[in-house]
Amino acid sequence: MTALHSLADIAISAMIVIGATFALIGSWGMVRLPTLMERLHGPTKATTLGLGGMLVGSILYFHLVEGKWALHELLISLFLFITAPISANMIAKVHLHQLRVKPDVDGLDPVGPAGMPPIPSEDSGWATYEATVQTSPAAVAEM
Amino acid sequence: MALELTLYTLVFLPFLAALLITTVSARSMAWHSGLAASGSALGLAIVLSLAGRVLDGEVLGISAPWVPALGLDFSLMVDPLGLLFALMILGIGLLVVIFGHFYLAPSEATGRFFASLMLFQGAMLGIAISGNVLLLLVFWELTSLSSFLLIGFWKHKAEARQGARMALAVTGGGGLVLIAGMVLLGSVAGSFDLATILQRADIVQASPLYPVMLILILIGCFTKSAQFPFHFWLPHAMAAPTPVSAYLHSATMVKAGVFLLARFWPVLSGTELYTAIVSSVGLITMLFGAWVALFRHDLKSILAYSTISQLGLLVMLLGFSIKMAAVGAVLHIINHAAFKAALFMSAGIVDHETGTRDIRKLGGLGKVMPVTALVATLAAASMAGLPPLGGFISKEMMLDETLHVGLFGQPWLVPIVATLAAALSVAYSLRFAAHLFFGKPRDAQAHAKAHDPAAGMWGSPAFLVALAVLLGLIPMTLVGPLVTAAASAVLGETAPPLGLALWHGVNPALGMSVVAVAAGTLIVWQHSRVLRAYEGLRHLDAKHLFEQTLSIADKRVRKLIVAIHAPSLQRMLLAAFAVVVLFIAEGAVRGSGSLTGTRAGQPASVMAIVAWGLLIAATVAVVLEHRQRFLVLVYVSVIGLVIALAFVHLSAPDLALTQISVEVVTILLLLLALNLLPKRPPQLSGNGRRLRDAALALLGGFGVGGAAWAMLTRPANNPISGYHVANSYTGGGGTNIVNVTLVDFRGFDTLGEIIVLGIAGLAIYALLDTAARGAAGARLGTWQEDMPHSPERHPMMFVMATRILLPLVLAAGIYIFLRGHNQPGGGFIAALVIAIAFLLQYLASGFDWTDARRKVGEHLLIASGVLVAVATGLGSLVFGANFLTSSFGYFHVPLVGEVELATAMLFDVGVLCVVFGAVMQALAQLSHIAQRAARAHAANLAVRQEDGK
Amino acid sequence: MIAHAVSYAFVCLALALCCNLWRLLRGPTIGDRIVAMDTMVINVIAVIVLIGIATARGTYYEAALILAMVGFIGTVAYCKFLLRGDIVE
Amino acid sequence: MSIASHFAIAPVVIPALAAPFALLVMRRRRWLGVGISFASCAAMLAVALLLLRAASDGTIRTYELGEWPAPFGIVLVVDRLAAIMLTLAATLSLIALLHAVIARSDRKGWHFHPMFQFQLMGLNGAFLTGDLFNLFVFFEVLLIASYGLMLHGQGPARLKAGVQYVIVNIVGSSLFLIALGLLYALTGTLNMADMGLRVAEIPIADQGLLRVAALLLASVFALKAAIVPLHLWLPRTYAVSTPAVAALFAIMTKVGVYAMIRVIPQIFGDDAGAAAWVPAPYLLPAAMLTAIVGFGGVFVARELSEQAAYAVIGSTGTLMIAVAGWQPDTLGAAIYYLVHSTLAGATLFLVADAVARRRASYADRATPGPLFQDRQLVAVLFMGAAIAATGLPPLSGFIGKLLILRSVADVPSWGWAWGTILGTTLIGVIGFARTGSAIFWNETEASARAQLPQVSRADLLAPAIALALLAALSIGAGPVTDYGHAAARQALDSASTARAVLGGH
Amino acid sequence: MRRLIPHPGLSVLLVIVWLLMANAITVGGLLMGIVIGILLPIFTAPFWPGRPSVNYRAGIAFMALVLWDIIIANFQVAAIILFRRNRDIRPAWLSIPLELETPEAITVLAGTISLTPGTVSADVSSCGRFLLVHALDASDPASEIARIKSRYEARLKRVFK
Amino acid sequence: MTLEFLLASAIGVLVAGGIYLSLRARTFQVVLGLTLFSYAVNLFLFASGRLTINRPPILQKGVTEYADPLPQALVLTAIVITFGMTALAVVLSLRSFLETGSDQVDGNECAGDEDEGPDLNAGPRA
Ligand code: NA
Ligand code: NA
């Protein structure tokens, strides 16, 4: 019984520690990585394993220690998994846009080590740069 | 009863007449003058019918309570003095009406004229017979107002308007001072009942306030009676039609001041102060008026200054505080009324016939208009105080009395000045008569068609002059009893025996008048020389002075007022914040107690401190970078985030939810607006101003923060919320105490709150609905994007994600609503979440796409929401319970189990509808405007590209 | 043991928030600041969940849920504004 | 329980129902909306009169919302003063509504009637509530409705003034909340009567904080009442508002005054220790300044509407001079003058509109214009309004001012007060004489008359009615002043109010 | 039936979500969940023009795989952030040619890429046939592209058949 | 460092910032100031119930101590009202700018903000 408890404790603590650590690493990456596109990779950790770990820890905790089901915490992850990519995508678009409209913000070079994005194909460009073609699957809600 | 009826009729008759005249103002002059005449005549008849009883010593008084709280009764009192004035007001009023009928052209606004005249008559009559001081004040101010109308009758003339305004300003202003004096008098005497006050001389004169009230009351009298230095309005009042002048100068208006002096003689007179002020003011005025009158050329102006002088005489007499002098005053009041009215009317006739009032153009009129000449000359003689006219008798009395007063301890001062004044009045009277009617014509065309007017026109003056003559010949039989009685009324005791006669034997007074007549004749003989001397001196034109002071005052004050009320929001807020800071400081300094209380604090966790740092940093960043509008919004949302976290930490989950969802909506709103607002960072205000604002801001911060600290470090004082905790479940049927408070304990607040939100929605709609028109529409039409934009309108990933999110978030909203009563949540938060679900669609898929798919209109939502909430509240009335009384029950549904149903949740549905409607209203409308702007921009772009090609 | 884990987690998240703040204020591009804010939201959700564990209460769950649902809207709106100016079109 | 026992809530519920109904029908059947609006106002007047009669016997009726006992729930308190204010509001609303409909100014947008009803709901709620936070809520309701009404008709001037009006009042509301927070923190209650009892037990150490709260609250009310220096928002706001709206706004500043009369004796009375009567010493000088600034504005105003706006400020100043005495007599005088000055202010705005509508481009500017339609009639109305506004006989203002003069004779600085009241009256008289003679006596070439619009005389009805009411107020001054003084005594007797509100609890 | 339940998958998802939120499995909760699951899709149908047919079994398998990848990737990226100097990091833009055609599928792919640390999908080409991805450390872009296509896109083609 | 101090000081800073910004010359800054100010006010009102950790006012069996629910209800109401007012103020100032072409509130009108150069408030402060 106690063994099981301590086992539960270990599991819960582990999840919490992992989660917190990854959240910190994500944010740290956002501080130290060179330019916006690299920094953008930070949050995904905080979102996924960071918060994920925390939530699993929480679910385990409420189930094993408090004896209550707390599966609803999963919904938090569900929503974050839907929304986080959107944020990242939009921020990336902003970056692409700024690469074009103001190539250098006050002298520092935003292009970054990855260089400029490649042209997808001779007959089309990236949606951020040119209007979506009506026939393209990306042309949702264009009317 | 009969008496009351009579007196009420008497006092209301003129007003009634005025009313009737205005109702028939469309009809001919005959109607107007007729009504006025019959009004005056009837009034006169009533007064005469009362005369007998009054002269027998009976004081006819009636009283009806009006404003007991104030001591203002509608009480009328007809004693001999009142009777005397009533007779003059109505009698001369009647004559003036008759004269006016012939004087005015039927084409003029005679309706307005006679109506105002009757209004004025009523006011004067009211003064004469009111038995309550406050009531007297009412009528007093009414005379100022109605005389304003009369003097300004010929409104197309600038001098009429100015004269009227000046008269109103001076007499009205004096009236206000009088109010102060009278209220003091009443409070000191302990009553506003006239009769009572007249009994309380000892109390009044013993009061420390006596000097104050005396001066205040005297200012009232002097302004009305045109005493120096308040005389200047009277000469300009002659801009009024002559009948009006005749009335104002003889029996009314200016006499009101004298009346008041006489009325309060028993209470006020007899003191050093009184005698000194009143008699010296009267003396100066008498002399000054006579002196100026001598050099006027306009007939009416001469008469105006003569009035000033004659009133000075009356005031002086009443100021002597000598019984016999008062008697003389009463007699002279009658004389003056008679000859002055006659003189003005004659002047009017001359003006009417010759078309000029300039004495320098006139002369020798005696030949062409003998009747007028006779009338005017006799009247002038009475004014000059020549025997055998009434004026002589009263002047003799006056001169005689001057010998009994040693003003400022100088026994000779008053007699000499008085004699001098008498001489001057002889002079101006002589000049008036002689220059006008004797000698040879000075201006041919003025005499061209000059002749005596119809009897109707000279009838009135003739009657008055006859009176003046008889007042000299048979004074005792004519007015003896009246004067005695009136005098007694003035004195408040039986007047000394009075022997009015032309011949009193040889006495100093006779000598003085002989000197006066001789000197007067001499002056007239040498007039041109004296005139040159007079014109050598410089004179200040009172009217000009008055108008100038007024316009300067106007400019200065205007400047000040405009400066103070500049349309600067900054100044308004500055004032508000300054007051707050001062008050907080005041409370902190003057109030007792230390800043820090006794309650122990709770240690802050690392997380708390870091969150605090976040908030502080973000706030400082907002302030420092407030000119970068977009950036600060990012900081603001960080602040909001931290506050939400704080609410979580401080056990306020509902607040956290609200904060989070409101934050999102607010940010969307601000972004939508920001897109259309000018984005050029505003120029920095001057260092001085920024420093000032910063200082004020810091003080305010310290103040409010300090207050918060003081509050937080003090123990709670057994708050009523204990009851809410105890009754939330048992009485409110919910475990979420906050929500139960919102929808039940304090549902009334929430009702008001959702209405606020609903109104905000409506107002925003009303504002933006019209934005496409007018200047705003034009500006929207020329709106330009201020930065290069990406061509992509609806990013695919975003759109797809929001479509899956819509049902999920809606589900969450419903869930939050349903359990709000027991767990964090509730109608308001649910509404915001649902609104956000839809706003997401706007954001991702655009306005048109989403708007085309929306079902219910916001107006319907808001209206029905409010109705649902109110109806829920009213529902409880059906069960005899008060508004908003909730009820709930637990029902067992098979399979499902316990289900709670609470009316509070129905109420919460109303909340949900209104909040959802209002939020959608605001953002949808705003984005609609943005749409317009964007389209306009696209159009412009297209045009420009066309031009490019 | 859990208690220690929790307090360790609090410290980590506190440091994480500090990192976010640094990036938020430092920039340099507006994109960086938005990333910082977005990450801050996620870290705050984590903090709320952690508070839930620390206090053994379910009451804070809704806050975390709502924040997870709507927290990104700010980010997206800011980006849309920078991309298009008009966030709803 | 009989339906009569629910009369207390009716003044709030009636408009709360009328507004959404009007909103729903307005677009399709505007006449129906107008009808609803009128019916609602009439009903409010009827209820108010019933409450007035009910309160006349001196009993204080309370209405516990949701049956939650005071002080735990929200309670409405109907005493004499509240009944007076309700009646005044309902009367004024009918006049303003009548003018709006006759002058068709309600058609400049279809939200007028709903907003109008919500405005009244806010006013009535503020008059009735016995709960401080609830008072805040109803302040917000009447404020935001007033924003809607003030902006009705729009146009640059209104929008610019609107921004300032709205933002200043938002700040005011925030300050209200701070004061509320302090008071709840110190007393632990929101019910005014209960607060009044609890302040007595506040330890010395906390009374400084209480004092701050009192002063903050007073300054919030002063802002609403537009007392110098917190009056800056008023002139422009009122001058540019639609006249019918401005007429209704005549009561808005009085709400601030009312709130002071309600709150200060009830909460910061003799028992409040360091906070007892704190705002009092600042009120008298501020009031005198307000009267001076207000009538100074009247003296120099260039448009009638501007003049009316300043007259509102001035009358508030005069009113506050009386209120600042905090004696039964001064307060009684104040209540009478409050009723008078509200109607007088409204009349001024309505007459200004009558002039403006007839003079086309000359509008209500005090410059000679062409001879315009019904000049005699309008002139009479203007003179009446001016007489009322300056407080000359025979209209009620004179009695009001006499009452004030008499009642303040006992306060220490009565000389200053008297000087201010009488002096401002004089400059007011001169000011109105100037504008009046410029507009009604002085005329330019009659040629321009051709362009003048033909206006139906009907729009003189509302101001005429208002003047008639002022006359009636003057004739019936006896009973009205008695009621007012009784109301004042009741308002100052916080103990019996507390007994009535808290009853057994 | 199609009209009553336009999106069966969504309905099921909603019921599950509802039960999760209620955090308890009761009859009442289930009934309510079913009501929600039926009503909401009907109500929000207008907002769903496209109706992709989904192979749920493949979908679940895909999710499991992604979850696993996420965990692994987290550690890899953590290592990069913690131990690699900036100049040794090899960020790169990847332009991934797409075989998926429906926007839903492309969105899921892009989302997956963003969720797995180390890669962020930045943009779609205007023609919708290319996906722009930023990789934190891709010394060999070509192989990285191939990995994504084979590991995720291929599976997604089976999910959205 | 006590929680009380943190909250009080935070309120103070917010108030200071709010006052300073609301005294600026353009509507946007003023609205911003009001936003900060109302944050502070809401926190202040909330603080009137004192600070309680881990005692949410949601009834639980066996729990007797709860955070004071009343201020929370008041703050909730206040937040809603503030939101309504802010929304109106924002729209009104926008509308007024569209009508008059100026968003100045300091009285000295300078119309013609339209002719302003573009500015993407992106980079760090110049
Ligand atoms: Na609420
Ligand atoms: Na609320």
Side-chain angles (χ1 to χ4, degrees), chain D residues 14-70:
Chain D
I14 292 169
L17 286 172
F21 274 124
L23 183 62
L24 289 176
V25 301
M26 219 47 207
R27 263 194 164 153
R28 283 177 203 68
R29 303 193 183 70
R30 70 175 340 285
W31 57 268
L32 190 52
V34 175
I36 291 174
S37 207
F38 266 110
S40 158
C41 291
M44 271 182 269
L45 182 57
V47 172
L49 289 170
L50 285 170
L51 290 173
L52 195 67
R53 203 189 61 199
S56 61
D57 63 0
T59 54
I60 300 174
R61 286 170 178 70
T62 64
Y63 188 83
E64 289 170 338
L65 285 144
E67 304 260 317
W68 295 110

Side-chain angles (χ1 to χ4, degrees), chain B residues 367-389:
Chain B
K367 295 187 198 60
V368 284
M369 34 202 312
V371 181
T372 318
L374 178 65
V375 168
T377 317
L378 283 172
S382 181
M383 177 161 71
L386 298 178
L389 293 132

